[in-house]
Amino acid sequence: DAGVTQSPTHLIKTRGQQVTLRCSPKSGHDTVSWYQQALGQGPQFIFQYYEEEERQRGNFPDRFSGHQFPNYSSELNVNALLLGDSALYLCASSSQDQPQHFGDGTRLSIL
Amino acid sequence: GNSVTQMEGPVTLSEEAFLTINCTYTATGYPSLFWYVQYPGEGLQLLLKATKADDKGSNKGFEATYRKETTSFHLEKGSVQVSDSAVYFCALLDPYGNNRLAFGKGNQVVVIP
C-alpha cells in the first residue's frame, strides 16, 4: 500500500518563474493538505483540498494556488517565485478525522 | 489563534539517557495533540497522538500525556538510541474540525553513542 507520494523530489527555479508540485494521496484518503517548511522551522499550513474544492487556506498570498483532481491527487502552483519561497513543500493526506500522513516533500530552491 | 511552543535549541544526549522535549499549546477548545518525527531527507511521520485530556499517547518507547491544566504535551523516552536522532515536532489539530495542523518549530535531537 503506497503512502503519500510527491514529485519531483528536488527542483531549482529562478526568481519570477512559476512552479507546479504534485501529490498522490495514500490509498483511501480523500483530503489533501499542503504545508511549507522553511529551513529550521516547523511546517506552515498553506491550504487544504476536499472534493476538488479548496476547503480552507492559511496565511499565504494568492501566488499560491492549487487543484485537486477526481482521483484525489493534487497540485500546488506557485507563481512569480521569490527567494523566500525556497523551502520543503510537504503534502499530507487524510480521511475524515484520521491523522494526516505526510509525503517526503519537494525541496524547492530559488536562485 | 492556535499555536504550539517547543523548547528552544537542539538536544544532545548520550545513548540510554532519558529524553524530555517540552511542548505547550494555546488553543480555543480542546484540540487533538500530536508528536511527529522527521528523519534526515524525509517527510514527517506520526509518532503518537492524544485526543483528550489525560490521554497518554505512546509508541516505540516514547510517551506524552495530554495535560489540560498546564496546556502541555511533553514528549519523553526512558532510554534513547542512536537511531532516535531526528527532528521532533509537536502539533495540534484545530479543535473545530478544520483538520489543519499547527506545528511547533521542532527540536533537533542528537544521540551520541
Side-chain angles (χ1 to χ4, degrees), chain A residues 2 10 14 24-26 29-30 32 34 36 38-39 45 47 59 66 76 79 94 100 102 107:
Chain A
H10 294 85
T14 57
S24 292
K26 181 179 170 66
H29 287 182
D30 56 10
V32 173
W34 287 92
Q36 180 194 65
L39 195 62
F45 176 79
F47 44 51
N59 189 26
L76 163 66
N79 295 323
S94 58
Q100 296 182 23
F102 284 80
R107 174 73 62 188

Side-chain angles (χ1 to χ4, degrees), chain B residues 41-77:
Chain B
E42 298 184 11
L44 278 68
Q45 297 178 23
L46 177 64
L47 183 58
L48 53 84
K49 67 173 183 176
T51 57
K52 62 183 186 296
D54 300 326
D55 265 3
K56 178 185 283 188
S58 61
N59 186 26
K60 299 180 182 180
F62 291 89
E63 293 184 340
T65 301
Y66 191 143
R67 301 287 187 198
K68 186 181 69 169
E69 62 277 11
T70 54
T71 60
S72 65
F73 192 55
H74 304 323
L75 182 68
E76 297 181 336
K77 186 175 184 182

Side-chain angles (χ1 to χ4, degrees), chain A residues 3-109:
Chain A
V4 179
T5 58
Q6 292 187 243
S7 63
T9 54
H10 294 85
L11 204 51
I12 299 174
K13 292 285 188 178
T14 57
R15 282 179 295 175
Q17 285 190 311
Q18 177 266 342
V19 69
T20 297
L21 311 182
R22 296 176 175 81
C23 172
S24 292
K26 181 179 170 66
S27 178
H29 287 182
D30 56 10
T31 302
V32 173
S33 302
W34 287 92
Y35 294 82
Q36 180 194 65
Q37 185 180 12
L39 195 62
Q41 301 295 315
Q44 297 292 316
F45 176 79
I46 303 175
F47 44 51
Q48 183 179 92
Y49 278 84
Y50 174 71
E51 292 188 341
E52 302 180 50
E53 296 285 334
E54 182 181 292
R55 183 156 70 171
Q56 53 179 313
R57 189 178 183 92
N59 189 26
F60 279 80
D62 292 344
R63 298 186 297 109
F64 290 76
S65 63
H67 189 78
Q68 186 179 34
F69 299 93
N71 66 353
Y72 308 117
S73 67
S74 176
E75 289 181 349
L76 163 66
N77 301 292
V78 187
N79 295 323
L81 287 165
L82 303 174
L83 292 178
D85 295 332
S86 295
L88 180 68
Y89 288 85
L90 294 165
C91 171
S93 72
S94 58
S95 177
Q96 296 182 325
D97 295 329
Q98 295 304 306
Q100 296 182 23
H101 290 250
F102 284 80
D104 285 343
T106 294
R107 174 73 62 188
L108 176 62
S109 299

Side-chain angles (χ1 to χ4, degrees), chain B:
Chain B
N2 300 325
S3 66
V4 175
T5 301
Q6 291 183 235
M7 52 192 281
E8 290 290 327
V11 178
T12 302
L13 60 169
S14 300
E15 204 166 20
E16 298 183 2
F18 185 87
L19 170 69
T20 300
I21 305 176
N22 290 339
C23 169
T24 58
Y25 67 89
T26 301
T28 52
Y30 302 104
S32 294
L33 300 173
F34 304 83
W35 278 98
Y36 281 85
V37 58
Q38 187 173 36
Y39 298 101
E42 298 184 11
L44 278 68
Q45 297 178 23
L46 177 64
L47 183 58
L48 53 84
K49 67 173 183 176
T51 57
K52 62 183 186 296
D54 300 326
D55 265 3
K56 178 185 283 188
S58 61
N59 186 26
K60 299 180 182 180
F62 291 89
E63 293 184 340
T65 301
Y66 191 143
R67 301 287 187 198
K68 186 181 69 169
E69 62 277 11
T70 54
T71 60
S72 65
F73 192 55
H74 304 323
L75 182 68
E76 297 181 336
K77 186 175 184 182
S79 177
V80 294
Q81 305 300 312
V82 173
S83 58
D84 294 324
S85 298
V87 181
Y88 292 80
F89 293 94
C90 184
L92 69 80
L93 192 69
D94 189 309
Y96 293 103
N98 288 330
N99 202 25
R100 58 190 284 180
L101 290 165
F103 287 88
K105 291 186 176 181
N107 286 101
Q108 173 85 50
V109 172
V110 177
V111 180
I112 301 170

